């Protein structure tokens, strides 16, 4: 079966391509290389021995999207990662985010709606919950007003898919609400490419550990949590990638009970920033140079998943601990600095 993975050379996309190939799927990747590199294909081949088909183009070019589906009429499923994902950048450039994240989703859904039957996995985010009132967060927690245009594109994306599924019964979709992806494939052949100054915690930790960054700033030590720092649900990217394959197989096998379903994808365990730092120090044997500074605007205090639905309905559960995920991140950091 042939699966289209948009953004398949990106961080989560490339790990998902590896898991798809390991399960025998044929993979076609579309990526515009705006936040990735063609060299990632070598890493995928090093792990699976299978070279995915790769087409480089921008999904904002509607005619190219239409032409792609004419040439690949036997697509059994689409996993749609392609999107801009920097929260801060989205605040400065909202139209870039609405055009890229929403426009390309609409073009994708227009093609899928014309197919006999279509299976679609959407990359969503726990950011749709904002600061949820209750921890752990279930899928029935209310979607709150987005804190950023990036977060809004995830909320709008889910609504666009839901409304489309209502009028296109042949379209089966699952939105996966990611918590905080981290780490890298244990082979260290693929991982999160260090492009620019890392906005996310874990790459900043490993780059500080590697001496690329002088010191980690911990954004806020006065939150109402056990150690005053924010709590998140850090999930190993390989566990997250596997969730996409399980979700896709659910749709292909017709096990879905509605044609639009939503699942939280996290570990179910919350870890504070200081606990993430302690995890790094354990797995690396190095002391991390950090300083607690002011809070970062827009940060929420806590977010970690109730994974009951993913565990019982989807039949997926995260396997890696924080230390295992942090070790994979550190191994990757050391590999790319060689
Ligand atoms: C985690 C914690 C920071 C950097 C965002 C998006 C989410 C997804 C993941 C794309 C927070 C603290 C961070 C640093 C720090 N993005 N931190 N020093 O903000 O939970 O989620 O990235 O899909 O949609 O919202 O992740 O890694 O930026 O921050 O103290 O240098 O680490 O304050 O508490 P976040 P993050």
């Amino acid at each position: 079966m042939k699966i289209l993975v948009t953004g398949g050379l990106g961080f989560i996309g490339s790990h998902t391509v590896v898991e798809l190939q390991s399960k025998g799927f044929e993979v076609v990747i579309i990526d515009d290389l705006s936040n990735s590199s063609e060299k990632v294909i070598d890493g995928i081949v090093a792990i699976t021995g299978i070279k995915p088909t790769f087409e480089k183009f921008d999904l904002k070019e509607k005619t190219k999207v239409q032409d792609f589906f004419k040439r690949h009429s036997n697509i059994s499923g689409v996993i749609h990662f392609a999107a801009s994902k920097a929260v801060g950048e989205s605040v400065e450039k909202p139209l870039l985010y609405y055009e890229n994240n929403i426009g390309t989703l609409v073009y994708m859904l227009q093609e899928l709606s014309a197919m006999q039957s279509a299976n679609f996995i959407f990359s969503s985010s726990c950011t749709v919950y904002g600061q949820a009132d209750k921890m752990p967060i279930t899928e029935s927690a209310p979607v709150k007003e987005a804190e950023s245009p990036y977060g809004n594109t995830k909320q709008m994306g889910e609504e666009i898919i839901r409304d489309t599924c209502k009028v296109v019964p042949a379209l089966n979709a699952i939105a996966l609400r990611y918590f905080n992806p981290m780490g890298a494939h244990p082979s260290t052949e693929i991982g999160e490419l260090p492009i620019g100054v890392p906005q996310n915690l874990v790459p900043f930790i490993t780059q500080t550990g590697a001496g690329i960054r002088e010191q980690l700033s911990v954004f806020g030590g006065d939150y109402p949590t056990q150690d005053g720092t924010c709590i998140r649900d850090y999930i190993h990217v390989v566990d997250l990638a596997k969730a996409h394959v399980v979700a896709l197989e659910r749709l292909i096998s017709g096990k879905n009970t509605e044609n639009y379903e939503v699942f939280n994808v996290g570990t179910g365990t919350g870890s504070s920033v200081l606990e993430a730092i302690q995890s790094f120090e354990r797995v690396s044997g190095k002391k991390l140079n950090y300083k607690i500074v002011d809070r970062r605007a827009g940060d929420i205090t806590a977010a970690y998943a109730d994974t009951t639905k993913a565990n019982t309905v989807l039949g997926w559960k995260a396997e890696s601990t924080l230390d295992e995920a942090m070790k994979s991140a550190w191994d990757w950091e050391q590999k790319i600095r060689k």
Side-chain angles (χ1 to χ4, degrees):
M1 283 187 177
K2 189 193 281 189
I3 305 299
L4 166 60
V5 180
T6 70
L9 294 183
F11 174 40
I12 305 166
S14 55
H15 286 81
T16 303
V17 168
V18 163
E19 298 307 322
L20 283 166
Q21 289 183 330
S22 311
K23 295 293 284 284
F25 288 101
E26 180 195 346
V27 175
V28 183
I29 292 171
I30 298 174
D31 201 303
D32 65 359
L33 300 182
S34 62
N35 191 26
S36 55
S37 147
E38 205 163 342
K39 285 204 299 293
V40 171
I41 295 177
D42 301 336
I44 292 169
V45 174
I47 298 168
T48 65
I50 307 164
K51 191 175 167 92
T53 306
F54 166 54
E55 295 197 22
K56 177 183 181 292
F57 66 86
D58 187 337
L59 292 172
K60 292 197 290 289
E61 299 185 62
K62 185 173 184 174
T63 52
K64 288 197 174 166
V65 174
Q66 293 169 325
D67 168 60
F68 175 88
F69 279 90
K70 279 200 193 79
R71 288 183 289 108
H72 294 274
S73 55
N74 61 340
I75 295 268
S76 298
V78 176
I79 305 183
H80 185 51
F81 291 105
S84 305
K85 61 148 210 149
V87 175
E89 183 188 46
S90 78
V91 175
E92 284 142 41
K93 303 174 185 168
L95 289 179
L96 184 146
Y97 273 69
Y98 289 118
E99 183 189 32
N100 191 38
N101 294 8
I102 300 301
T104 60
L105 173 63
V106 169
Y107 296 159
M108 199 54 65
L109 291 174
Q110 285 170 334
E111 296 307 313
L112 292 174
S113 300
M115 292 166 75
Q116 286 299 317
S117 99
N119 299 304
F120 185 65
I121 307 294
F122 178 64
S123 165
S124 189
S125 169
C126 63
T127 204
V128 303
Y129 298 115
Q131 177 53 75
D133 302 326
K134 214 164 78 57
M135 291 299 135
I137 306 173
T138 67
E139 287 83 353
S140 51
V143 169
K144 292 206 176 159
E145 190 183 334
E147 305 265 339
S148 69
Y150 160 77
N152 203 22
T153 65
K154 292 304 178 184
Q155 290 182 9
M156 292 166 69
E158 289 192 5
E159 288 165 7
I160 291 166
I161 297 164
R162 188 198 55 209
D163 292 347
T164 308
C165 286
K166 276 182 191 148
V167 294
V168 183
L171 174 59
N172 295 290
I174 289 178
L176 296 179
R177 290 174 176 168
Y178 308 163
F179 280 69
N180 286 58
M182 65 169 283
H185 194 270
S187 66
T188 68
E189 295 292 350
I190 54 174
E192 190 167 9
L193 293 184
I195 298 173
V197 177
Q199 297 307 303
N200 294 132
L201 176 67
V202 173
F204 209 108
I205 286 179
T206 58
Q207 288 189 18
T208 305
I212 314 283
R213 306 287 161 200
E214 185 53 38
Q215 180 181 61
L216 169 74
S217 298
V218 173
F219 297 140
D222 60 349
Y223 284 95
T225 62
Q226 83 267 26
D227 62 18
T229 64
C230 295
I231 294 172
R232 296 290 184 273
D233 183 333
Y234 296 99
I235 176 169
H236 196 302
V237 64
V238 172
D239 282 333
L240 179 58
K242 287 177 176 169
H244 289 77
V245 182
V246 173
L248 181 71
E249 287 173 330
R250 175 179 173 82
L251 296 185
I252 288 174
S253 62
K255 289 207 177 72
N256 52 314
T257 51
E258 292 151 292
N259 73 330
Y260 175 59
E261 295 177 319
V262 177
F263 294 94
N264 284 342
V265 184
T267 65
T269 302
S271 302
S272 72
V273 176
L274 291 181
E275 285 173 327
I277 291 170
Q278 288 146 21
S279 170
F280 172 78
E281 293 183 335
R282 275 194 300 274
V283 302
S284 67
K286 295 166 78 85
K287 256 345 251 139
L288 193 80
N289 179 13
Y290 70 90
K291 184 164 166 255
I292 296 186
V293 300
D294 291 340
R295 296 183 175 190
R296 177 173 69 175
D299 274 341
I300 56 170
T301 302
Y304 53 96
D306 179 316
T307 57
T308 310
K309 191 178 173 190
N311 301 157
T312 56
V313 177
L314 189 55
W316 165 90
K317 188 170 172 43
E319 292 155 17
S320 298
T321 63
L322 176 62
D323 280 12
E324 286 161 343
M326 189 64 77
K327 170 126 183 21
S328 71
W330 178 230
D331 289 348
W332 167 252
E333 182 68 55
Q334 296 174 95
K335 162 85 180 289
I336 57 178
R337 302 298 172 194
K338 274 192 187 121

